[in-house]
């Protein structure tokens, strides 16, 4: 029966990769200890071969949730600002390049001056209404914050999208072989190809993460 040392089992409970790699990434690890850890990884992988799909799909699910998260945040922010946030960044850039080009989009969404209505009691006890202009100094800061947020959301969304495209590509055997070959330079291409063909997506993912 395959024996998992207690200290490694505790790490496996916290995270598969943390438990498997253990101290293998330490440069000062002795040769004997490194060989022992490597032997354990090989035995573990051989014993639990074809049993890592759930771990891989959970990881892929959270990659998808990263994209969904940023997409929903952009939508909710756009809705909160009266659907003026979707094109906020490009409009600000366009206006700064030509200050005579229409209304400042920052002033449109975050005005620094607004109309206010005050009510107070007159001499006869009736309520009197006064219209005035109120300065909104906080919007000076909001204008800059939401410009930064727009570019931040777009950057994260682009990175998340590229990550999903990359993840979809890894479902093809050819891409998986090339990636596994890139992190196993000491092995022959034929041997890597043979291992890659036998691996499920979860087994390949675990091997690739260990190699990376």
């Amino acid at each position: 029966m395959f024996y998992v040392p207690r200290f490694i089992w505790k790490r496996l409970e916290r995270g598969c990769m943390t438990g498997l790699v253990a101290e293998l990434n330490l440069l000062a690890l002795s040769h004997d200890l490194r060989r022992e850890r490597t032997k354990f990884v090989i035995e573990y992988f051989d014993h639990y071969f074809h049993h890592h799909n759930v771990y891989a799909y959970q990881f892929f699910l959270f990659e998808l949730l990263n994209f969904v998260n940023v997409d929903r945040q952009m939508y909710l922010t756009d809705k909160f600002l009266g659907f003026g946030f979707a094109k906020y960044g490009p409009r600000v850039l366009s206006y700064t390049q030509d200050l005579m080009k229409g209304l400042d989009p920052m002033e449109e969404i975050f005005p620094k001056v607004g109309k206010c209505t005050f009510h107070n009691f007159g001499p006869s006890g009736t309520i009197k209404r006064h219209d005035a202009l109120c300065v909104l100094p906080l919007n000076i800061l909001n204008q800059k914050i939401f410009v930064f947020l727009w570019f931040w959301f777009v950057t994260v969304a682009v990175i998340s999208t590229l990550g999903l495209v990359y993840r979809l590509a890894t479902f093809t055997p050819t891409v998986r072989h090339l990636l596994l070959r890139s992190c196993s330079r000491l092995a022959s291409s034929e041997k890597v190809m043979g291992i890659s063909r036998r691996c499920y997506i979860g087994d390949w993912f675990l091997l690739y993460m260990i190699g990376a």
Side-chain angles (χ1 to χ4, degrees):
M1 184 177 180
F2 177 65
Y3 171 70
V4 180
R6 183 175 180 80
F7 79 96
I8 295 183
W9 180 256
K10 290 182 178 180
R11 296 187 179 189
L12 286 172
E13 291 176 342
R14 294 198 302 267
C16 185
M17 294 308 305
T18 304
L20 282 178
V21 175
E23 291 89 1
L24 280 175
N25 55 350
L26 297 178
L27 296 176
L29 193 66
S30 67
H31 177 72
D32 292 338
L33 191 56
R34 182 179 296 276
R35 185 169 57 182
E36 178 186 344
R37 297 289 186 271
T38 304
K39 180 182 177 181
F40 166 77
V41 173
I42 295 172
E43 291 178 351
Y44 170 88
F45 191 80
D46 181 65
H47 186 78
Y48 291 103
F49 196 56
H50 294 341
H51 288 80
H52 301 105
N53 279 357
V54 174
Y55 174 76
Y57 286 128
Q58 285 177 343
F59 191 94
F60 302 160
L61 174 63
F62 282 105
E63 287 183 327
L64 176 61
L65 290 179
N66 286 337
F67 174 79
V68 174
N69 177 44
V70 67
D71 178 72
R72 292 299 86 191
Q73 286 195 54
M74 291 182 69
Y75 172 76
L76 292 175
T77 304
D78 189 37
K79 186 177 181 180
F80 175 73
L81 297 177
F83 297 99
F85 184 71
K87 299 181 179 179
Y88 186 58
R91 290 183 63 197
V92 171
L93 287 180
S94 177
Y95 180 79
T96 54
Q97 293 173 1
D98 185 2
L99 298 180
M100 302 301 294
K101 188 177 180 179
L103 179 66
D104 185 353
M106 294 189 290
E107 291 285 349
E108 182 180 337
I109 300 178
F110 301 102
K112 295 190 288 288
V113 179
K115 179 179 177 294
C116 302
T117 302
F118 296 95
H119 298 85
N120 63 350
F121 291 94
S124 62
T126 58
I127 298 178
K128 299 179 64 177
R129 174 177 171 174
H130 298 278
D131 293 329
L133 293 177
C134 297
V135 179
L136 307 172
L138 185 60
N139 276 354
I140 300 175
L141 183 61
N142 287 334
Q143 292 176 353
K144 312 304 186 292
I145 289 176
F146 280 86
V147 169
F148 169 78
L149 284 178
W150 189 90
F151 286 101
W152 175 256
F153 283 150
V154 169
T155 301
V156 175
V158 170
I159 294 174
S160 299
T161 302
L162 293 176
L164 290 179
V165 172
Y166 162 78
R167 186 55 61 201
L168 289 175
T170 60
F171 279 84
T172 60
T174 302
V175 174
R176 289 206 300 268
H177 167 68
L178 292 175
L179 291 173
L180 196 61
R181 184 75 182 89
S182 66
C183 60
S184 54
R185 293 179 294 273
L186 298 179
S188 63
S189 179
E190 293 76 13
K191 188 174 183 179
V192 174
M193 176 65 79
I195 295 174
S196 181
R197 287 176 176 174
R198 292 178 56 204
C199 289
Y200 290 170
I201 184 69
D203 304 315
W204 168 85
F205 179 72
L206 192 67
L207 279 177
Y208 180 72
M209 293 295 287
I210 292 175

